[in-house]
């Protein structure tokens, strides 16, 4: 990496004119690699809310400069996955109860419209793609592959948006689902991944029948069940009540 950052002397500048663009692309790729790695670790529940993200340690892991790490952390902060505070540095975000409720409220609005539009346009090939995804989900659940099933259950909703041909919606849902992973880490109780996978199959069944009303109802019910499995009520501050629970 250091060789890429060497200053090119004037005499050598002409024959090596194309190098800076390549170096810039390489640096941008390194930043994105850090962003994707941290995001994946959060989604797969390997990084807990509140975890300190030390710049130098991350730089050592990826063999890059702290400047690139700082760029990645700034991007993750804009995505609400990381908080940056003066003197405290970067930490994995800790969503509040209010934020959790708001995220699910936005998801309900977006995904109801999504399945309504998809019902009118979905093709047999797309149904086959969704069924294949559901089978992979089921296999991950049966293998007790926690990180795999977590990502697959979230990806189902992104696949729906991509089948509609709306990349903006797909990216928006991806951001919301990343935040949902953080919320789940903080507030999730004994959530049934198997139940979620079964609900996905029911949604695909409704889409195949082009039953708009059922598809919208099933999606709303599914998101309600996911939210219900989170402990979003304030926890008791009373010591006796807490220890007797």
């Amino acid at each position: 990496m250091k060789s890429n950052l060497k200053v090119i002397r004037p005499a050598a500048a002409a024959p090596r004119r194309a190098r800076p663009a390549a170096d810039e692309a390489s640096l941008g790729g390194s930043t994105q690699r850090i962003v994707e790695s941290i995001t994946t670790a959060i989604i797969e529940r390997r990084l807990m809310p509140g975890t300190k993200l030390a710049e130098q340690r991350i730089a050592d892991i990826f063999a890059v400069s702290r400047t690139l790490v700082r760029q990645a952390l700034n991007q993750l902060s804009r995505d609400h996955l990381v908080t940056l505070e003066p003197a405290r540095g970067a930490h994995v975000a800790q969503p509040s109860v209010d934020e959790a409720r708001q995220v699910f409220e936005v998801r309900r609005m977006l995904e109801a419209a999504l399945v309504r539009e998809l019902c009118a346009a979905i093709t047999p090939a797309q149904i086959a793609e969704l069924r294949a995804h559901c089978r992979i989900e089921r296999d991950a659940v049966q293998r007790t592959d926690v990180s795999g099933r977590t990502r697959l259950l979230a990806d189902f909703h992104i696949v729906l948006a991509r089948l509609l041909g709306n990349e903006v919606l797909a990216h928006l849902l991806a951001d919301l689902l990343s935040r949902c992973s953080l919320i789940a880490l903080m507030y999730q109780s004994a959530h049934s991944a198997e139940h979620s996978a079964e609900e996905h199959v029911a949604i695909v069944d409704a889409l195949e029948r082009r039953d708009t009303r059922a598809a919208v109802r099933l999606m709303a019910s599914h998101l309600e069940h996911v939210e219900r499995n989170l402990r979003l009520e304030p926890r008791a501050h009373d010591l006796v009540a807490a220890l007797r629970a």
Side-chain angles (χ1 to χ4, degrees), residues 17 22 25 27 39 41 47 71 76 88 107 110 125 146 156 165 176 181 191 197 201 204 219 234:
R17 200 168 186 174
L27 295 178
T39 300
L47 274 178
Q71 290 174 0
L76 288 162
R88 290 193 69 243
R107 283 192 64 187
L110 285 177
V146 177
F156 174 81
L176 286 170
S181 296
H191 173 67
V201 172
V204 176
M219 179 61 80

Side-chain angles (χ1 to χ4, degrees), residues 164-178:
L164 194 59
N166 193 324
E167 284 298 320
V168 173
L169 179 57
H171 287 301
L172 182 57
L173 277 176
D175 290 342
L176 286 170
L177 286 159
S178 295

